[in-house]
Amino acid sequence: MLRFTPTLPVILCCSVWLNIAHAAEPPKAAPQHCPARIGQLDERDRAMATLAWQYFENNRQPETGLVNAADNYPSTTLWDVGSTLAAFITAEKLGLIERERFDKNIGQMLYTLRHLDLFNGEAPNKVYNTKTAQKVDYRNKPSQTGIGVSTLDLGRLASWLNILACLHPQHAEQARKVLESWNFCRLLEHGQMYGMAFKDADGSVEVQQEGRLGYEQYAAKAFRQLGFDLSLSARYHNQYATDATVSEVKLLVDSRDASTLGAHNYVVSESYAMDAMEHGVDSENKPLLEAIYQVQQRRWEQTGTVTAVSEDNIDRKPYFVYNTIFSDDIPWAAITDKGEDMSALRTVSVKAAISMAYLFPEREYSKVLLGAVQAAKNPKGGWYSGIYENPELGLNKATTANTNGVILSVLLHKMYGALNQQCKQCGKGVTLTPEFLAFNQNKKQCLAAGKF
C-alpha cells in the first residue's frame, strides 16, 4: 500500500460470515445464484453501513466520479479508489444507492480510470487530484511527470475491479479495459511485484521490488487471479518469512531489513483481514489470521488496553502513523514511514477493530473491540479513523475513504463471504485477453514496445 508523510491530511498510500472454523472447507458446487448470499445484516450492521456510506456521498467529485481519500481534500491514491469501489458495491447491495445511479457513477469512475495520464506511460501515478484526475505530488500539486507507481495500490484496485465485474457483469468489459490500459511488463516479474519512482533529479526511473509480508500477499493474490505469475509474492511462507514472538504469541514476519532495503516490515491487522475477506481463508493464512487476532487480545489481557492496530491517518502531525504489532524487530512499534517513534499517538484503529470483530464474531474479545469504537462517529458522516490510546487525546477524527470502505466491505463479506473466491468458483470476474497476458509476460517483446 502506498505510504507517504504529508503536510496535509491526505490519505496514503484482516456464524454465517467468515467463521474461521468453516472457512477452509473444500469448495462446494456453485449454487444457482452465483455468487450466493450466505448471511443477512441486522439493524446494527445497517446503521454502521449507512454512516460509512455517507462519507462517500459527501466526498464524491462530480467532475471525475472519484472520491476524496481524506475528508474534504481533493486527492486520492489507487488504493483508495479500490476502497471506493468496495463502498459503492456494498451500498448498491444494501439499497443505499439505487441501481441506475450506481451504474452511472461507476461508469464515470471507470471512464476516468481508463483515461488517466499514466506515470511514464506505463501505469497510474501514485496520487491524483480527484477534481481534475491530474497527476499530482504528495502535496496535491500538479505534476507533469508524476512521482511513481505503487503496484500494491494497483493490487487493491484490481481486486475490487474483479469483484465489480463478477457482481455487475454490465461493467465487466470496462473493468477489463481499465486493467488493459496499463503496462505490467516491469511491475510483475520473477513472481513478485515492483514499484516505480524517480531515481534522481535527471528523471531516470528506478524499478524496485515492492511489498512486505501481509500486504504483499494480499495484492499478489489479486493479480494472480487475473492470470499473472505471482508464485513468490502470493505465498506467505516464502524465502523471506521468519518467526517472531510478540506478547507470547508466535507470528510470521518479514526478514527483509529496512535499513538496507528502505522498506519497513510492518505487521498490522488490515492486510490479513482483507486477504481473508476478499480472497478467502486457506490452510496457509488461517493460522496467521488467528495469531493476528490472538496477539492483540493478549496485549489487552496483559495491559488492560484495548488493542486493534493498523496504519491510519491521524488528525495531527505527522498525519499518518503505522501502529504495528511488530516492525523492524520492535514489538508494538508505532512509527512514521521514516521510522520515527510515534508511540504517544498510538490508536485503536476503527477499521481493524471492526474487521477483527466480524471475522471472529463469536469471540468475547470481539465484543470488547466493537464496544471500544462505537463512539468514533463523525456527525457529518463517516466513521473516524480511531481513538487514541492516551485518553487525554480522545478521538482520532481523521475521516477517510479507506476506513469507511473497509467497514462497508466487512459488511459485504458478511453477506457473501470471500467474493474473489466465490467469483472464481462461479467463473465470473474480469477476464484479461490472452493476447494482453502473453504480451505482458513476454519481457523482451513488451520492453521493446514500451521503449522504457
Side-chain angles (χ1 to χ4, degrees):
M1 180 178 181
L2 171 62
R3 298 290 186 260
F4 57 88
T5 306
T7 55
L8 289 168
V10 187
I11 192 75
L12 313 180
C13 131
C14 219
S15 162
V16 290
W17 327 301
L18 175 62
N19 187 319
I20 297 301
H22 300 111
E25 293 179 354
K28 299 176 181 178
Q32 184 176 359
H33 299 288
C34 194
R37 289 200 182 197
I38 61 171
Q40 300 296 324
L41 302 189
D42 58 26
E43 186 175 339
R44 182 191 68 182
D45 299 331
R46 290 185 174 275
M48 185 183 299
T50 300
L51 180 65
W53 174 243
Q54 190 59 48
Y55 174 88
F56 297 90
E57 294 278 22
N58 293 348
N59 282 278
R60 181 179 178 275
Q61 299 289 359
E63 300 92 340
T64 62
L66 300 176
V67 171
N68 302 334
D71 193 30
N72 201 34
Y73 191 82
S75 179
T76 193
T77 70
L78 278 295
W79 182 278
D80 298 295
V81 177
S83 295
T84 296
L85 271 177
F88 271 82
I89 291 167
T90 307
E92 192 278 330
K93 292 301 179 186
L94 289 176
L96 298 175
I97 180 174
E98 62 184 22
R99 172 63 70 86
E100 182 178 357
R101 183 175 161 223
F102 170 85
D103 285 335
K104 182 177 180 180
N105 288 174
I106 289 296
Q108 184 186 21
M109 190 189 310
L110 294 176
Y111 180 88
T112 297
L113 292 173
R114 187 183 173 193
H115 294 88
L116 289 175
D117 184 12
L118 304 179
F119 176 82
N120 202 44
E122 295 180 69
N125 188 49
K126 291 180 178 180
V127 200
Y128 286 89
N129 184 296
T130 52
K131 288 186 176 181
T132 65
Q134 286 183 305
K135 294 197 298 280
V136 293
D137 62 18
Y138 291 144
R139 295 175 179 269
N140 209 32
K141 301 298 182 183
S143 172
Q144 184 175 357
T145 59
I147 56 174
V149 174
S150 170
T151 306
L152 286 179
D153 286 16
L154 299 185
R156 177 153 179 75
L157 178 54
S159 179
W160 284 99
L161 285 170
N162 189 67
I163 292 170
L164 172 69
C166 171
L167 294 180
H168 297 278
Q170 70 273 25
H171 296 293
E173 179 68 7
Q174 293 306 312
R176 178 186 66 78
K177 288 181 178 179
V178 168
L179 290 163
E180 291 191 356
S181 69
W182 310 338
N183 189 318
F184 290 96
C185 187
R186 299 201 290 174
L187 303 181
L188 306 175
E189 58 179 333
H190 311 305
Q192 299 185 85
M193 296 174 292
Y194 294 80
M196 296 182 183
F198 285 118
K199 183 177 181 179
D200 45 42
D202 70 2
S204 60
V205 175
E206 185 174 38
V207 179
Q208 290 189 331
Q209 187 276 329
E210 186 176 12
R212 294 295 181 265
L213 203 76
Y215 283 109
E216 181 178 20
Q217 285 67 37
Y218 164 72
K221 288 180 182 181
F223 290 124
R224 184 179 65 182
Q225 184 147 334
L226 295 177
F228 291 100
D229 172 21
L230 274 299
S231 53
L232 195 161
S233 287
R235 291 184 292 110
Y236 285 96
H237 291 88
N238 60 34
Q239 65 204 57
Y240 304 113
T242 189
D243 293 330
T245 300
V246 176
S247 299
E248 302 175 356
V249 176
K250 185 178 177 181
L251 303 172
L252 197 68
V253 302
D254 200 299
S255 65
R256 285 169 281 194
D257 188 353
S259 65
T260 58
L261 298 174
H264 299 280
N265 58 347
Y266 315 108
V267 179
V268 298
S269 305
E270 183 179 11
S271 61
Y272 292 91
M274 292 188 305
D275 181 19
M277 292 188 295
E278 295 170 36
H279 303 312
V281 172
D282 55 33
S283 59
E284 184 179 41
N285 66 6
K286 180 180 177 180
L288 305 181
L289 180 64
E290 176 73 37
I292 293 294
Y293 184 93
Q294 286 185 0
V295 72
Q296 295 180 91
Q297 178 179 335
R298 186 66 55 83
R299 181 172 182 260
W300 169 68
E301 292 169 345
Q302 293 174 340
T303 66
T305 301
V306 177
T307 302
V309 297
S310 203
E311 75 299 321
D312 273 305
N313 278 58
I314 61 174
D315 58 4
R316 61 200 71 195
K317 291 182 179 180
Y319 298 116
F320 199 89
V321 171
Y322 298 88
N323 296 294
T324 75
I325 297 167
F326 180 89
S327 182
D328 306 334
D329 295 325
I330 302 173
W332 306 112
I335 58 177
T336 67
D337 62 334
K338 295 180 174 64
E340 300 161 324
D341 180 36
M342 290 292 146
S343 298
L345 297 178
R346 185 182 288 113
T347 62
V348 179
S349 170
V350 169
K351 65 186 176 185
I354 291 175
S355 296
M356 287 292 141
Y358 274 72
L359 284 167
F360 297 89
E362 298 173 0
R363 307 277 180 96
E364 286 300 312
Y365 186 54
S366 295
K367 298 176 184 177
V368 173
L369 290 173
L370 288 177
V373 300
Q374 283 307 303
K377 298 173 181 176
N378 187 333
K380 296 181 181 179
W383 289 83
Y384 291 136
S385 292
I387 302 170
Y388 290 102
E389 285 192 353
N390 180 350
E392 295 182 2
L393 299 180
L395 295 169
N396 168 21
K397 294 185 177 181
T399 312
T400 69
N402 194 44
T403 288
N404 287 284
V406 168
I407 290 169
L408 284 162
S409 68
V410 167
L411 299 172
L412 187 68
H413 175 266
K414 183 179 177 182
M415 289 190 288
Y416 284 95
L419 271 167
N420 278 322
Q421 186 180 64
Q422 278 222 54
C423 292
K424 183 177 181 180
Q425 293 170 6
C426 299
K428 296 181 179 179
V430 172
T431 302
L432 300 179
T433 63
E435 295 79 11
F436 179 79
L437 285 169
F439 175 80
N440 277 272
Q441 294 182 82
N442 183 331
K443 299 305 173 184
K444 183 177 181 180
Q445 182 183 23
C446 70
L447 285 172
K451 299 179 181 179
F452 305 128

